[in-house]
Amino acid sequence: MKNLILIFLTLIILVGCSTSSLKLNKDKELVLKYNSSDLLLANKNIDSSFLNFKDLFVTIYKLEDENGRVLFYEDARTSLNFEFVERGLYTVMYIFNNVQRYDIVYERNNLKLVQFALKDKRYLNAMIQASDSQIYSYTYGFSNKEFMKIAKKIKVKDSDTIEELEHEGLVFKNSSKALSNWNDRLVFFTPLIAPLRTMSGA
């Protein structure tokens, strides 16, 4: 019995150590939490907008770091009785005009670092977090150098594989606009969300 308890506690510790969290704090700073460390990605909110799709709510932030580097951070969450149909990565693919080519650079439980191709042949480096089926968040606009540095910093084990980036990621200026394509057709006719499976009896 004692051995089972010890194994259970060890598993909890290991799982806790490998989880991560990508979100804005109360000061509108974009922070990636991993293990017991915080990585500040941006510390200034330049602009924000809010989109209401009845049972899906999206907030888009344009953020800047102390060196003037711009990131976009988007937080999408459903109402209590709905959830996303697809997993985080595939939902984000739809949001960027249903792009289909992507490479996973590094994956850490609920967090994915991905490079994907836009329709115009440019590439984005994006960090996607999907902790549950009702809240997805992601940020994009990293240079290749910064993206690889982050992947190496947050990797769980030294033996973890980090894929090399094949294309140069798009970076943004203060005047840049978000590239996501949220719209009614995408949300309701794709569809991106559906009633909770427990609600629908599935």
Side-chain angles (χ1 to χ4, degrees):
M1 184 66 178
K2 288 182 179 179
N3 286 339
L4 287 175
I5 293 173
L6 183 60
I7 291 171
F8 183 71
L9 290 174
T10 302
L11 285 173
I12 289 175
I13 291 170
L14 288 174
V15 170
C17 287
S18 61
T19 56
S20 56
S21 171
L22 174 68
K23 61 182 179 181
L24 288 183
N25 63 22
K26 62 181 181 180
D27 297 318
K28 292 293 189 292
E29 295 173 328
L30 183 59
V31 178
L32 174 61
K33 294 180 179 290
Y34 64 100
N35 297 348
S36 56
S37 302
D38 289 357
L39 180 60
L40 180 64
L41 300 175
N43 59 357
K44 181 182 178 183
N45 181 22
I46 301 173
D47 192 20
S48 64
S49 58
F50 178 74
L51 307 175
N52 185 340
F53 296 101
K54 187 173 178 286
D55 289 299
L56 174 63
F57 314 99
V58 182
T59 310
I60 302 174
Y61 298 90
K62 182 193 288 189
L63 304 165
E64 190 178 64
D65 72 359
E66 58 188 10
N67 298 315
R69 189 268 281 117
V70 172
L71 290 178
F72 286 95
Y73 170 74
E74 306 193 7
D75 177 278
R77 53 189 69 209
T78 67
S79 60
L80 290 176
N81 297 333
F82 279 75
E83 66 181 352
F84 288 99
V85 174
E86 302 287 351
R87 295 179 181 178
L89 173 60
Y90 300 112
T91 297
V92 172
M93 297 298 98
Y94 280 122
I95 293 163
F96 286 89
N97 292 316
N98 196 21
V99 297
Q100 297 178 4
R101 179 178 175 181
Y102 64 88
D103 295 302
I104 296 178
V105 178
Y106 183 67
E107 187 171 1
R108 178 193 169 107
N109 281 4
N110 59 331
L111 186 77
K112 286 183 173 65
L113 273 64
V114 181
Q115 183 176 86
F116 58 87
L118 300 170
K119 293 290 187 181
D120 62 7
K121 310 301 182 184
R122 294 180 299 174
Y123 287 80
L124 272 184
N125 294 324
M127 186 182 298
I128 305 167
Q129 179 174 295
S131 299
D132 61 55
S133 63
Q134 293 183 302
I135 303 175
Y136 292 165
S137 61
Y138 53 94
T139 183
Y140 56 95
F142 300 96
S143 68
N144 284 16
K145 182 178 179 181
E146 183 181 15
F147 212 47
M148 294 300 290
K149 185 177 179 181
I150 292 171
K152 291 174 182 176
K153 182 170 289 193
I154 68 172
K155 70 178 182 176
V156 178
K157 298 181 294 185
D158 290 338
S159 59
D160 285 353
T161 301
I162 297 174
E163 298 297 330
E164 293 295 326
L165 294 167
E166 295 185 13
H167 308 276
E168 194 62 38
L170 182 64
V171 294
F172 298 101
K173 300 177 181 179
N174 192 279
S175 58
S176 299
K177 295 182 179 180
L179 296 182
S180 56
N181 187 30
W182 291 99
N183 58 73
D184 289 342
R185 183 177 181 83
L186 173 74
V187 174
F188 299 115
F189 295 99
T190 302
L192 284 187
I193 61 172
L196 270 172
R197 281 181 281 265
T198 52
M199 296 288 294
S200 61

